[in-house]
Amino acid sequence: DAKTTQPPSMDCAEGRAANLPCNHSTISGNEYVYWYRQIHSQGPQYIIHGLKNNETNEMASLIITEDRKSSTLILPHATLRDTAVYYCIVGRGGADGLTFGKGTHLIIQP
Amino acid sequence: DTEVTQTPKHLVMGMTNKKSLKCEQHMGHRAMYWYKQKAKKPPELMFVYSYEKLSINESVPSRFSPECPNSSLLNLHLHALQPEDSALYLCASSQRTSGGLPYNEQFFGPGTRLTVL
């Protein structure tokens, strides 16, 4: 019973904004939305998280819909090094551990 | 130091061997995790340690035995493994705040790639 749904793969041109969607229609009120990515043969890397409000950091922006049932991760100027599997995860965080879904394989094209 | 280190990077073992995986962090994090990742699959949570005590065991077979000897070190002892246990074993750590906001970022190590023959 997946808590999130993501497209299995996406392409984006280098230099363009990459917009990765995620559906999480069963999210609870105390659950956060986390985004991690995993570049081939490396450990996952934290990108950003949010609860209700939109968030931005040096890596990306996170847009969460008002009903919190979906979100979009935005990489504003994608580079070849952003090619990775991107995981959208919902959970309480803390020391609960992360439940990864299948993720989206984002391929940045030169 | 914002790094989680794991040793060894690669391990090949027979089904009758006993081996251990080691994970270390010096960020003062009090939660540490083991995940297992099979090829082309997402990571799966195995164990969580919080303040050096096992807090979550995701029904992992007893041939995997975790140990947290201190707040910086996490081990995974392996005994009588099966070929299907071949995978990338990832360690992670995060801050643990008692009663604080549960939004902790997890820092992952590069993993140990285990092959069981």
Side-chain angles (χ1 to χ4, degrees), chain A residues 34 36 38 44 46 92 94 98 101, chain B residues 33 35 37 42 102 105-106 108:
Chain A
Y34 299 83
Y36 282 75
Q38 188 172 23
Y46 166 85
R92 297 185 303 164
L98 298 170
Chain B
Y33 314 78
Y35 292 83
Q37 186 173 25
E105 167 188 355
Q106 290 190 20
F108 282 81

Side-chain angles (χ1 to χ4, degrees), chain A residues 43-44, chain B residues 1-7 9 22-27 29 31-34 72-74 89-94 105-111:
Chain B
D1 183 2
T2 58
E3 193 179 21
V4 175
T5 60
Q6 290 188 244
T7 54
K9 285 186 169 39
K22 179 180 170 181
C23 172
E24 202 161 1
Q25 57 87 17
H26 296 286
M27 294 178 278
H29 291 172
M32 296 186 77
Y33 314 78
W34 281 114
S72 300
L73 190 56
L74 185 66
Y89 288 84
L90 294 160
C91 173
S93 72
S94 70
E105 167 188 355
Q106 290 190 20
F107 291 77
F108 282 81

Side-chain angles (χ1 to χ4, degrees), chain A residues 29-56:
Chain A
N30 62 351
E31 288 184 316
Y32 289 75
V33 180
Y34 299 83
W35 284 83
Y36 282 75
R37 72 179 183 184
Q38 188 172 23
I39 296 169
H40 183 60
S41 296
Q42 297 182 21
Q45 176 191 24
Y46 166 85
I47 300 173
I48 199 167
H49 74 275
L51 183 62
K52 295 182 183 177
N53 300 320
N54 298 337
E55 303 288 344
T56 295

